[in-house]
């Protein structure tokens, strides 16, 4: 399973596999949106469309869900896999949402903020999300706090070095999750719920700390080839012995406009 495609973007199949692991977190996020039949809802950075499809089932045939992503390949994948009368997918950028003011009863963005490069002003991004939300409507943001990642490996100094590097450098905005509460509050959104859910992984190859981290750590000379060989070998052995453990927190914040 590849995490990034040749464009360096996240691969749609990887996101679909991750959706199974994150099912409970995703279901919780729909509840936090207060979705009810007849609602009009938006999923920004919808990827392959898994969430938009589930939301469309909740809002029913009198409602409507739009999934929006700036990657045409994601939208193509979503349109091929998820078809429903009350579901649309569109190409668009979170910086400039192609919808009128106050159009949606609720808006959601999952793992979008962590991929936004520093050129994005996250306050401008949240203001754009607020603009398309109805007064009294819900905004739900979900993201990984990569700074909370932990992993059981004997060399603690190397573990810290690699996990810090992953959060700081491999993710454009790796601490997005912990910043949501402050982001919503300073943009005058009434925060109604904050939840943190751990994602525990017991198989090394299911984490982002194998092939991807190894490639980037070597490229940036953060670790030596010898260190990375030992890392990959020992963590694969731990998986075989049933001793591999890794965990990272997902942060979910809901607020009312
Ligand atoms: C990590 S993926 C998460 C996808 C989906 N939310 C999920 O949970 O499976 C981030 C998604 O955000 C999209 N994205 C990145 N920058 C964007 C932007 N400026 N506007 C809209 N979507 C964007 C990417 O194409 C990608 O599909």
């Amino acid at each position: 399973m590849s995490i990034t495609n040749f464009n360096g973007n996240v691969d749609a199949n990887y996101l679909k596999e991750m959706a199974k692991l994150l099912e409970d977190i995703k279901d919780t996020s729909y509840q936090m949106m207060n979705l009810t039949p007849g609602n009009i809802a938006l999923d920004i950075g919808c990827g392959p469309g898994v969430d938009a499809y589930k939301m469309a089932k909740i809002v029913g045939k009198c409602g409507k869900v739009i999934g929006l992503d700036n990657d045409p390949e994601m939208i193509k994948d979503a349109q091929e896999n998820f078809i429903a009368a009350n579901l649309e997918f569109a190409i668009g950028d979170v910086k400039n949402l192609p919808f009128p003011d106050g159009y949606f009863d609720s808006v959601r963005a999952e793992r979008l903020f962590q991929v936004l490069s520093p050129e994005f002003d996250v306050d401008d991004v949240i203001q754009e999300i607020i603009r398309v939300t109805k007064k009294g409507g819900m905004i739900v943001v979900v993201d990984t706090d990569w700074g909370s990642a932990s992993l059981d490996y004997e060399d603690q100094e190397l573990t810290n070095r690699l996990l810090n590097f992953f959060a700081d450098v491999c993710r454009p905005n790796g601490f997005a999750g912990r910043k949501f509460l402050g982001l919503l509050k300073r943009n005058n959104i009434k925060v109604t719920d904050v939840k943190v859910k751990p994602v525990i992984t017991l198989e090394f190859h299911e984490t982002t700390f194998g092939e991807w981290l190894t490639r980037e750590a070597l490229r940036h000379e953060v670790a030596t080839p010898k260190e990375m060989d030992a890392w990959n070998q020992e963590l694969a052995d731990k998986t075989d012995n049933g001793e591999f453990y890794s965990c990272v927190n997902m942060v979910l914040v809901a607020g009312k406009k």
Side-chain angles (χ1 to χ4, degrees):
M1 182 175 59
S2 150
I3 292 175
T4 53
N5 66 21
F6 61 91
N7 291 322
N9 295 334
V10 180
D11 183 86
N13 289 327
Y14 167 72
L15 289 175
K16 282 185 256 182
E17 281 301 313
M18 280 300 289
K20 293 177 199 158
L21 191 66
L22 301 179
E23 195 173 8
D24 166 58
I25 291 169
K26 288 175 176 296
D27 287 345
T28 301
S29 75
Y30 316 144
Q31 286 160 18
M32 290 166 80
M33 293 172 84
N34 296 342
L35 287 175
T36 50
N39 276 177
I40 303 179
L42 173 65
D43 188 30
I44 310 176
C46 66
V50 177
D51 300 291
Y53 184 66
K54 287 197 172 169
M55 287 155 58
K57 287 199 166 165
I58 301 171
V59 302
K61 58 181 190 302
C62 296
K64 180 163 88 171
V65 172
I66 300 179
L68 181 120
D69 203 287
N70 72 344
D71 181 347
E73 291 296 317
M74 286 292 177
I75 293 301
K76 187 165 167 270
D77 196 281
Q79 285 168 333
E80 282 169 5
N81 285 296
F82 295 112
I83 297 165
N86 62 347
L87 177 62
E88 290 172 24
F89 291 102
I91 299 169
D93 199 295
V94 68
K95 270 197 283 200
N96 185 16
L97 295 169
F99 308 109
D101 295 359
Y103 187 68
F104 294 98
D105 295 293
S106 62
V107 180
R108 153 188 208 284
E110 178 189 328
R111 289 177 294 149
L112 168 69
F113 280 77
Q114 70 172 282
V115 302
L116 297 180
S117 62
E119 81 190 35
F120 282 81
D121 180 328
V122 288
D123 289 276
D124 289 350
V125 170
I126 206 75
Q127 279 296 331
E128 182 61 355
I129 292 175
I130 293 168
R131 180 186 67 74
V132 299
T133 308
K134 261 181 201 160
K135 185 146 177 51
M138 296 300 295
I139 294 169
V140 175
V141 278
V142 181
D143 231 304
T144 323
D145 179 6
W146 282 108
S148 71
S150 64
L151 181 151
D152 176 30
Y153 183 66
E154 272 51 50
D155 183 341
Q156 194 57 54
E157 185 280 322
L158 178 64
T159 308
N160 293 344
R161 199 187 331 146
L162 289 174
L163 296 185
N164 287 341
F165 166 72
F166 189 83
D168 274 342
V169 179
C170 296
R171 299 285 67 208
N173 189 13
F175 301 94
R178 69 177 66 177
K179 293 176 180 292
F180 281 153
L181 175 63
L183 178 67
L184 291 192
K185 285 214 159 183
R186 72 174 175 267
N187 282 281
N188 302 317
I189 291 298
K190 187 179 178 316
V191 172
T192 53
D193 203 356
V194 179
K195 292 189 196 298
V196 176
K197 290 191 171 254
V199 180
I200 298 162
T201 315
L202 305 178
E203 309 255 344
F204 180 46
H205 66 268
E206 285 185 355
T207 71
T208 49
F209 304 133
E211 206 181 308
W212 181 5
L213 175 58
T214 302
R215 184 181 66 232
E216 295 305 314
L218 293 176
R219 192 162 73 85
H220 288 260
E221 299 184 354
V222 166
T224 65
K226 193 173 166 210
E227 284 175 322
M228 292 318 296
D229 283 348
W231 172 268
N232 282 293
Q233 186 58 56
E234 287 177 34
L235 292 174
D237 289 349
K238 272 185 187 283
T239 302
D240 291 344
N241 299 336
E243 290 177 19
F244 179 80
Y245 169 89
S246 175
C247 183
V248 67
N249 285 338
M250 292 284 282
V251 184
L252 302 88
V253 181
K256 195 175 264 199
K257 177 171 172 182

